Amino acid sequence: MSFAIIAVFTVAGALAAMTLRNLVHCVLALVVAFTGLAGLYLQLGAQFVGFAQILVYVGAVAILIVFAMLLTQSHEPLAHLTVAPGWVTSSLVAVAVFVILAWSIRSSAVGARSIQPRPEITVRNIGDSLMSQFVVPLEVTGLLLTAALVGAVTIAMREQRMNR
Amino acid sequence: MTETMDQIFVLLKHRILAHSPVSVQPIFSAALSAIAILVVFATLFALTTILERKGLGRFQNRYGPNRVGPFGLLQPLADGLKSLTKEDIVPHSADGVVHMLAPIVLVVAAFLGYAVLPLGRNMTAINLDAGLLYFFAASSVVELAIFMAGWSSRNKYSLLGAMRAIAQMISYEVPLILSTITAVMAAGSLSTGAIVESQTGYSGIWPHWFVFTPWGFAGFVLFMIAGIAESNRSPFDLPEGESEIIAGYFVEYSGFKFALFFLGEYIGMFAICGLAITLFLGGWAAPFSFLTWAPSYFWFFAKLLVLIAMLIWVRATLPRLRMDQLMNFAWKFMLPMALINLFAASTWHFTPPGAIRWIVGTILIAVPYLLLGRGLMQSNKLEKRTYRFAD
Amino acid sequence: MTTPVNYLLISALIFAIGLAGALVRRNAILVLIGIELMLNAANLNFITFWRYSPNPEALTGVMFALFSIGVAAAEAAVGLALIIAVYRHFNTTDLDQVDSMRG
């Protein structure tokens, strides 16, 4: 029951994010989709990932997109055509991708899997494995984030310096 | 007897729940906690508005509101009635739906954080294992609500106010979260209940609060500064800046929606204070071992009122910062101090107890504080300001 | 009880919506939003397969989702910085008008 409600919210948010004309409305719909996904994670018992999803996507990525939108003055409703020329082919491709995915999910053996009893995942478990088994990916992610930070600042700054 | 007094609300809840069918008990239990939190903190909001106005009045050598009821104590009631009966104006070019949703999202997001605050012994609404993460996830939605309010009003002042508010909240969220990590490290858990439990011991009569360690004290101060900035209060109230951008992101709101913004702001402030109490001031633990007979929720709310009084004092004392000062302070002072404090906390953790770790811990925090503070003073050219455009 | 098929179908649907948006829309920011949706759909897959795996104690799916969230945040930051740089150069975020190599 709650799964159906959350799923409808998530898909509706995603659809609205891709179809609305006003960009800010798109971002707000995107936030609904992100929150719905966090709800699905919580239902699946991944509490930490669910809260991290809200913290990162709603608190950071959505705000970042909004800032970019205001800085590029694309927050006004669009007057002209909003879709790319080859939109019929593109949407057909997307529908085909969904049909193939859905068909393969339906026909795969994964549906027969029975659910295991809910594992006792504490934050301590996650921290322990982050610091032991997954320490290399963690360091690489840290490096990547630092590089992305420096890179983003450089890219966004460069043009301004040349103009001066 | 003291045990019963301490647990009276918990027992009451169990008594009520025992009369309801088993199938609806989880929902009923959550609803009871939510109603209790809503009623208590909305009342506290009403009380704080009058206390703040009276306190500010005394600071400015005047009386403050004293017409409605005894000592003006019924002023919040009058204010509430006024805001309810005022006309609700929506600007013609505003985005109607977003304009209406913004205050609701703000208040809901502000209230969500209370679910993990331990208001007393066994008095946490949901004791989550990742409680602190939940708190910050809930409070990050507030930024979005502020943007919705600022953008949907179609007013350049409200958009500017919203941009300022978001920039400020993002900048101060970093030191805010980094300063809480020290308490998490000491308690070894993200659960707010466990963090309070780890501070309930006493040596002699003195409590084991984290604020009574060098890193805990620095962490508490950093947390409170960042928390004031996060709840957009003076001296960090640039998003509202009446003299520059009239009232920031809620210029175009009137009547009850305006009251909701007001409520959301105060509720957010109480939540930040409550988290500071939970993390550094021992939560519901009594300040001395001989005072443990008083109920635990009494100590939580006593500490909360003390912190609120402190915030009113700060508001009455300090002038508003300028935007560049605000950003410099966040990135050149708060962030390095929070990182150094993290290092000091881990050093404390790994040195054996005794005088040596007090000395090392104090030096590790005091020396960077002096150096950073001096650097900040020198980089802020404190001579007469030259005006480029106003001459 | 819901089966993994439901979650996987939702994930596939979100992926397809994100793909359609990234291909159809002209505004660069919306294309980025589409890509974010596709990444999120992948995350939902990770979590679903972790929950329905024979031993969920191994935590691999959760870890993969956490790292994926981190990488997506980095991607969003760089992508938006690029969009701002492109906007400064061409004065538009419409991808069909950003078509000259010399600028």
Side-chain angles (χ1 to χ4, degrees):
Chain A
M1 183 57 195
S2 57
F3 169 77
I5 297 171
I6 297 176
V8 166
F9 257 93
T10 313
V11 174
L15 261 181
M18 294 283 84
T19 49
L20 291 177
R21 289 180 80 82
N22 191 324
L23 276 175
V24 174
H25 289 171
C26 291
V27 177
L28 296 179
L30 183 73
V31 167
V32 173
F34 284 158
T35 317
L37 278 165
L40 289 179
Y41 297 162
L42 290 182
Q43 265 206 330
L44 284 166
Q47 204 183 67
F48 192 83
V49 183
F51 295 145
Q53 160 95 3
I54 295 203
L55 190 64
V56 173
Y57 278 106
V58 179
V61 172
I63 299 287
L64 206 62
I65 293 177
V66 154
F67 256 77
M69 209 169 269
L70 295 180
L71 287 176
T72 56
Q73 293 179 346
S74 46
H75 56 97
E76 298 300 320
L78 303 169
H80 54 277
L81 194 64
T82 57
V83 292
W87 67 275
V88 182
T89 340
S90 313
S91 4
L92 280 181
V93 168
V95 171
V97 166
F98 174 68
V99 168
I100 293 170
L101 279 177
W103 175 73
S104 52
I105 290 166
R106 278 268 167 215
S107 58
S108 76
V110 75
R113 273 195 198 170
S114 59
I115 192 160
Q116 304 290 315
R118 180 165 285 211
E120 279 298 314
I121 301 297
T122 59
V123 180
R124 180 173 283 277
N125 293 141
I126 294 178
D128 280 343
S129 39
L130 268 180
M131 279 297 143
S132 55
Q133 198 189 345
F134 296 96
V135 69
V136 178
L138 181 73
E139 295 296 324
V140 172
T141 313
L143 199 67
L144 174 76
L145 282 172
T146 317
L149 181 73
V150 176
V153 170
T154 325
I155 294 169
M157 290 277 279
R158 196 175 55 202
E159 206 74 7
Q160 212 177 25
R161 202 178 55 223
M162 274 158 67
N163 286 350
R164 235 175 246 165
Chain B
M1 184 56 204
T2 51
E3 191 64 27
T4 328
M5 269 312 284
D6 190 29
Q7 295 297 304
I8 187 160
F9 295 115
V10 183
L11 293 174
L12 193 68
K13 184 175 158 185
H14 284 305
R15 182 68 59 83
I16 296 172
L17 279 185
H19 290 298
S20 59
V22 181
S23 56
V24 294
Q25 266 188 11
I27 300 171
F28 207 54
S29 156
L32 275 179
S33 307
I35 290 169
I37 288 172
L38 281 175
V39 169
V40 167
F41 283 96
T43 317
L44 190 64
F45 161 68
L47 202 67
T48 309
T49 51
I50 180 72
L51 286 181
E52 174 151 34
R53 289 175 67 182
K54 282 192 99 69
L56 285 181
R58 288 295 173 175
F59 274 109
Q60 293 156 1
N61 208 1
R62 58 188 169 84
Y63 283 114
N66 59 357
R67 297 287 102 182
V68 194
F71 306 106
L73 280 177
L74 293 180
Q75 185 70 38
L77 204 68
D79 285 346
L81 279 177
K82 187 186 90 173
S83 66
L84 270 175
T85 50
K86 257 187 167 178
E87 185 188 357
D88 177 30
I89 301 166
V90 181
H92 179 67
S93 59
D95 194 309
V97 180
V98 181
H99 191 263
M100 190 195 69
L101 276 178
I104 300 171
V105 173
L106 182 83
V107 170
V108 170
F111 264 116
L112 276 180
Y114 287 93
V116 291
L117 284 186
L119 306 180
R121 192 179 281 124
N122 304 329
M123 278 167 69
T124 315
I126 351 168
N127 204 349
L128 284 175
D129 187 37
L132 208 57
L133 193 66
Y134 166 86
F135 186 92
F136 287 123
S139 67
S140 69
V141 181
V142 171
E143 289 162 27
L144 202 75
I146 286 177
F147 169 76
M148 283 162 73
W151 175 79
S152 67
S153 300
R154 287 296 166 93
N155 177 327
K156 64 181 169 193
Y157 292 117
S158 48
L159 192 58
L160 272 176
M163 295 284 274
R164 277 187 180 191
I166 295 169
Q168 171 179 334
M169 288 173 88
I170 288 181
S171 307
Y172 280 88
E173 205 165 20
V174 182
L176 186 80
I177 293 181
L178 278 177
S179 60
T180 62
I181 304 281
T182 52
V184 173
M185 266 159 59
S189 172
L190 272 179
S191 152
T192 45
I195 291 173
V196 173
E197 285 292 342
S198 68
Q199 302 179 65
T200 48
Y202 296 92
S203 25
I205 59 164
W206 301 105
H208 287 172
W209 298 355
F210 291 148
V211 75
F212 296 126
T213 54
W215 56 265
F217 181 72
F220 173 67
V221 173
L222 287 171
F223 183 89
M224 279 318 283
I225 295 175
I228 294 173
E230 197 77 359
S231 47
N232 292 335
R233 268 183 73 87
S234 177
F236 301 105
D237 57 350
L238 281 97
E240 280 151 48
E242 304 92 338
S243 50
E244 311 140 35
I245 49 173
I246 26 189
Y249 48 88
F250 49 79
V251 200
E252 297 290 3
Y253 283 90
S254 59
F256 195 60
K257 287 179 189 162
F258 179 80
L260 280 182
F261 272 103
F262 212 59
L263 173 72
E265 198 166 297
Y266 275 82
I267 292 298
M269 178 183 106
F270 299 155
I272 289 283
C273 290
L275 194 66
I277 292 166
T278 306
L279 290 172
F280 298 106
L281 298 181
W284 40 259
F288 298 106
S289 60
F290 53 82
L291 286 175
T292 41
W293 51 268
S296 52
Y297 47 85
F298 168 76
W299 289 117
F300 181 85
F301 282 99
K303 289 171 190 174
L304 189 59
L305 284 176
V306 169
L307 281 189
I308 291 170
M310 202 187 80
L311 289 187
I312 295 174
W313 186 7
V314 166
R315 175 171 173 185
T317 310
L318 295 175
R320 184 181 297 147
L321 290 180
R322 218 166 53 210
M323 199 66 194
D324 60 322
Q325 292 170 333
L326 180 93
M327 287 297 161
N328 276 341
F329 188 62
W331 294 106
K332 295 183 183 166
F333 182 80
M334 295 287 285
L335 183 61
M337 262 325 272
L339 288 171
I340 288 163
N341 193 31
L342 210 58
F343 178 68
S346 44
T347 318
W348 173 276
H349 207 62
F350 288 115
T351 32
I356 185 101
R357 78 172 179 178
W358 275 90
I359 295 167
V360 170
T362 314
I363 287 174
L364 270 180
I365 289 164
V367 171
Y369 169 75
L370 288 175
L371 291 178
L372 280 172
R374 179 164 296 196
L376 201 67
M377 288 298 275
Q378 278 169 353
S379 67
N380 269 357
K381 295 169 247 27
L382 286 176
E383 66 260 21
K384 189 164 175 282
R385 197 173 164 211
T386 50
Y387 292 92
R388 271 187 299 167
F389 302 111
D391 279 338
Chain C
M1 191 62 215
T2 48
T3 62
V5 172
N6 291 357
Y7 288 101
L8 294 179
L9 282 178
I10 293 291
S11 155
L13 196 55
I14 292 171
F15 186 86
I17 292 171
L19 181 66
L23 290 177
V24 167
R25 298 301 294 256
R26 289 170 63 164
N27 193 303
I29 293 176
L30 276 170
V31 173
L32 201 77
I33 291 179
I35 293 169
E36 289 292 334
L37 273 179
M38 283 149 76
L39 278 169
N40 268 281
N43 273 356
L44 183 55
N45 259 14
F46 286 132
I47 299 288
T48 311
F49 279 117
W50 162 75
R51 186 69 185 86
Y52 288 90
S53 70
N55 62 335
E57 285 78 18
L59 277 178
T60 39
V62 171
M63 286 301 155
F64 216 126
L66 282 178
F67 289 129
S68 159
I69 288 175
V71 171
E75 177 252 316
V78 176
L80 290 170
L82 277 173
I83 290 173
I84 290 173
V86 165
Y87 176 78
R88 288 224 179 98
H89 214 95
F90 293 94
N91 228 6
T92 179
T93 51
D94 192 333
L95 285 176
D96 289 330
Q97 288 172 29
V98 184
D99 51 3
S100 70
M101 289 282 273
R102 281 193 310 123

